[in-house]
Amino acid sequence: MVLSKTAPETDVSIHSTFASRYVRVSLPRFRMPEQSIPKEAAYQIINDELMLDGNPRLNLASFVTTWMEPECDKLMMAAINKNYVDMDEYPVTTELQNRCVNIIAHLFNAPLEETEHAVGVGTVGSSEAIMLAGLAFKRKWQNKRKEEGKPYDNPNIVTGANVQVCWEKFARYFEVELKEVKLREGYYILDPEKAIEMVDENTICVAAILGSTLNGEFEDVKRLNDLLSEKNTETGWNTPIHVDAASGGFIAPFLYPELEWDFRLPLVKSINVSGHKYGLVYAGIGWVIWRNKEDLPEELIFHINYLGADQPTFTLNFSKGSSQVIAQYYQLIRLGYEGYKLVMENCRDNMIVLKEGLEKTDRFDIVSKDDGVPLVAFTLKDNSHFDEFQVSDMLRRFGWIVPAYTMPPDAQHVTVLRVVIREDFSRALAERLVVDIQKVLHELEMLPSKLLTKTAITVAGDEGLNDDAKVVVVKKSALETQREITTAWKKFVMDRKKMNDKMNGVC
Ligand SMILES: *Cc1c(COP(=O)(O)O)cnc(C)c1O
């Protein structure tokens, strides 16, 4: 996305050393060039410029898959020209999506009869999945309120303040109030008791997160279900639960099959999961599954016939690629239950290696849990000298992308570094990272005398979303005192907190 605000004033041209073999004129940056250029030149120019992007495999900020088997890459490339929406023309692709929906619904223990088909749809990611699930809740609630002759213009959702930004988007775009249960230091997930207190007759659903984005911790969906069930009996409201299992939906069934978080709990009416996180597919796929047909109001489903036969659809987008759906099906049959379990166990083992390595330094408190999403979230025990943002910044020098961010209210004074362990993050890399973190700590300790600090915009700058987060360069001569430097840092961190847009670079 280019926000006009972020565009520099000049229309600087783009050069490429190698491409000058092919083209003599340079290209304007923001205007379409008058003439065509040879394909080799276009390739070279773009390829050269992309070299400056970070290495996806070293991007420890993201849950999103960065490695797949070459066989699957091949299938994806072969399908790159297939529009997914042309379901009548590509019936096999549609069939594969339907198989995925059913496989995932069974994985989440949907109460299906032997021959019954699951209700669900493939999306671009969990964000689209959550928009659809949220719309279904909103419409169901409105219909019920209309029937009862009660006002239906003030719906709300109850969540923890740790929700991913897509819930805030849903709330704003579709005019639903987001009622957030505040966090507190040392407790970074939804407190079921407090959530229940917030539920009222206008609550369309309570959203629980299986794998908080901030520290990977699983929320206690079972406790929430039981408490809400009591409240429903008292009030007669029938408030349902949605589980945002974007990252945990492909972890819990394999590592913690006994954990009840899914359709085994009667109030859980829909669940989303990101196929492109621990579903092990490249970016661009998510899933939403409903418990029953009754949980997805028929009036939200569009029936189109201009592509051939009658085709029901419930998505925000129309056209999209087919490759991700095919890749998801590949992973499900290639790995099977056993394969996914092994991958997840490996991730958990590597997470433990990293966590124990960090604990050995005696410099960090760990704020993630061993039985959540395989990630390590940690804070400095002592950040009076330097802070987590500086650690994050310094790690970039070694090629590591480790985000630092502040926790949401009321734990906003806590800053966290987070390393997500994906399939392609090996034990050797985990050990290497600990060594590099130690080097960084050592350098930061030596810092005051040679201070030339450039602040990291790992959090706010990555997506180019937060224009206010311009890189701030704080230069201090050796003569200035450590106290002044620390003050400058604190101010910068406070300013950044004010920018409120949370965690843009963390996904
Ligand atoms: C990643 C994430 C999302 C958003 O998912 P996308 O697939 O990136 O759209 C939503 N909720 C949680 C808990 C997440 O971790």
Side-chain angles (χ1 to χ4, degrees), residues 63-64 123-130 162-167 208-214 244-248 272-277 284-287 373 418 506-507:
F63 293 99
V64 177
T123 59
V124 179
S126 279
S127 302
E128 187 189 4
I130 283 166
N162 53 319
V163 279
Q164 213 263 0
V165 68
C166 68
W167 286 95
I209 312 171
L210 200 77
S212 171
T213 316
L214 303 170
D244 175 359
S247 55
N272 68 278
V273 64
S274 294
H276 54 219
K277 290 186 178 173
I285 186 140
W287 303 93
V373 178
R418 190 191 72 185
V506 196
C507 47

Side-chain angles (χ1 to χ4, degrees), residues 16 18-23 36-48:
S16 163
F18 298 113
S20 58
R21 288 184 179 210
Y22 310 103
V23 268
S36 314
I37 54 173
K39 60 186 195 295
E40 295 83 358
Y43 174 82
Q44 193 79 62
I45 288 169
I46 297 169
N47 190 55
D48 288 3

Side-chain angles (χ1 to χ4, degrees), residues 166-237:
C166 68
W167 286 95
E168 294 172 40
K169 280 190 185 173
F170 170 76
R172 213 179 293 173
Y173 294 172
F174 296 102
E175 302 186 320
V176 174
E177 186 198 349
L178 202 60
K179 301 212 307 189
E180 295 182 341
V181 180
K182 295 254 199 305
L183 311 181
R184 55 182 187 270
E185 186 167 344
Y187 193 87
Y188 304 116
I189 53 172
L190 177 79
D191 180 336
E193 269 82 12
K194 290 195 183 144
I196 300 302
E197 281 167 29
M198 279 197 182
V199 170
D200 60 28
E201 60 181 345
N202 294 321
T203 303
I204 63 172
C205 78
V206 181
I209 312 171
L210 200 77
S212 171
T213 316
L214 303 170
N215 72 342
E217 194 171 348
F218 290 169
E219 295 185 337
D220 192 346
V221 194
K222 179 153 189 353
R223 174 111 186 102
L224 184 70
N225 178 84
D226 297 350
L227 291 173
L228 192 54
S229 189
E230 280 169 27
K231 180 146 183 170
N232 283 344
T233 312
E234 278 165 33
T235 57
W237 289 338

Side-chain angles (χ1 to χ4, degrees), residues 230-278:
E230 280 169 27
K231 180 146 183 170
N232 283 344
T233 312
E234 278 165 33
T235 57
W237 289 338
N238 227 353
T239 311
I241 295 174
H242 175 88
V243 183
D244 175 359
S247 55
F250 276 109
I251 294 166
F254 306 106
L255 290 185
Y256 313 105
E258 304 306 319
L259 183 74
E260 289 181 52
W261 63 274
D262 54 15
F263 293 119
R264 281 168 286 183
L265 304 172
L267 289 181
V268 173
K269 302 298 182 193
S270 49
I271 300 175
N272 68 278
V273 64
S274 294
H276 54 219
K277 290 186 178 173
Y278 289 92

Side-chain angles (χ1 to χ4, degrees), residues 49-69:
E49 207 171 348
L50 284 174
M51 289 198 321
L52 291 171
D53 264 352
N55 178 350
R57 299 277 300 273
L58 294 181
N59 177 2
L60 309 182
S62 176
F63 293 99
V64 177
T65 304
T66 47
W67 180 84
M68 294 186 76
E69 287 170 330

Side-chain angles (χ1 to χ4, degrees), residues 212-501:
S212 171
T213 316
L214 303 170
N215 72 342
E217 194 171 348
F218 290 169
E219 295 185 337
D220 192 346
V221 194
K222 179 153 189 353
R223 174 111 186 102
L224 184 70
N225 178 84
D226 297 350
L227 291 173
L228 192 54
S229 189
E230 280 169 27
K231 180 146 183 170
N232 283 344
T233 312
E234 278 165 33
T235 57
W237 289 338
N238 227 353
T239 311
I241 295 174
H242 175 88
V243 183
D244 175 359
S247 55
F250 276 109
I251 294 166
F254 306 106
L255 290 185
Y256 313 105
E258 304 306 319
L259 183 74
E260 289 181 52
W261 63 274
D262 54 15
F263 293 119
R264 281 168 286 183
L265 304 172
L267 289 181
V268 173
K269 302 298 182 193
S270 49
I271 300 175
N272 68 278
V273 64
S274 294
H276 54 219
K277 290 186 178 173
Y278 289 92
L280 306 177
V281 178
Y282 294 138
I285 186 140
W287 303 93
V288 54
I289 313 285
W290 284 272
R291 179 184 197 87
N292 280 310
K293 277 206 297 291
E294 298 73 51
D295 295 306
L296 174 58
E298 178 65 30
E299 70 234 63
L300 292 177
I301 302 172
F302 284 80
H303 293 266
I304 52 168
N305 60 10
Y306 39 80
L307 299 169
D310 172 67
Q311 187 61 61
T313 76
F314 181 36
T315 50
L316 297 182
N317 250 69
F318 190 64
S319 299
K320 68 170 179 182
S322 298
S323 298
Q324 265 72 2
V325 169
I326 292 166
Q328 182 74 78
Y329 186 66
Y330 172 92
Q331 291 291 44
L332 292 172
I333 64 159
R334 151 82 174 121
L335 292 171
Y337 188 88
E338 179 196 26
Y340 268 94
K341 187 164 186 287
L342 284 174
V343 171
M344 301 312 150
E345 282 173 353
N346 237 341
C347 290
R348 185 177 55 186
D349 291 350
N350 288 332
M351 176 269 286
I352 300 285
V353 168
L354 178 62
K355 191 196 74 164
E356 290 179 353
L358 291 172
E359 279 172 340
K360 273 208 201 98
T361 67
D362 203 28
R363 304 297 295 273
F364 299 105
D365 287 323
I366 308 293
V367 298
S368 47
K369 303 280 183 245
D370 288 356
D371 56 359
V373 178
L375 62 82
V376 186
F378 50 109
T379 66
L380 282 166
K381 280 187 200 254
D382 172 12
N383 65 359
S384 58
H385 204 55
F386 52 84
D387 67 13
E388 291 82 357
F389 292 105
Q390 282 166 295
V391 175
S392 167
D393 183 35
M394 298 275 274
L395 279 169
R396 284 228 172 187
R397 276 205 355 255
F398 296 90
W400 302 108
I401 300 168
V402 177
Y405 48 85
T406 54
M407 287 291 197
D410 287 335
Q412 61 272 50
H413 52 288
V414 180
T415 305
V416 172
L417 289 154
R418 190 191 72 185
V419 175
V420 175
I421 311 295
R422 294 188 308 264
E423 185 188 4
D424 54 336
F425 186 76
S426 66
R427 189 188 167 116
L429 281 180
E431 286 163 354
R432 180 84 234 160
L433 178 59
V434 174
V435 171
D436 288 345
I437 286 175
Q438 275 170 320
K439 277 191 208 152
V440 160
L441 292 177
H442 185 69
E443 280 185 38
L444 282 167
E445 262 150 27
M446 301 289 116
L447 198 64
S449 54
K450 53 165 185 176
L451 199 94
L452 177 79
T453 313
K454 186 172 90 37
T455 58
I457 308 298
T458 17
V459 176
D462 270 357
E463 310 262 331
L465 286 176
N466 205 326
D467 183 44
D468 296 325
K470 296 252 170 61
V471 174
V472 174
V473 181
V474 188
K475 287 182 182 169
K476 296 278 168 188
S477 77
L479 296 170
E480 285 167 293
T481 62
Q482 173 64 31
R483 184 187 294 271
E484 279 180 278
I485 297 158
T486 310
T487 315
W489 265 103
K490 291 230 162 99
K491 179 173 180 312
F492 174 73
V493 171
M494 288 314 292
D495 287 350
R496 183 155 36 187
K497 276 180 193 155
K498 280 190 219 132
M499 293 182 321
N500 84 24
D501 243 329

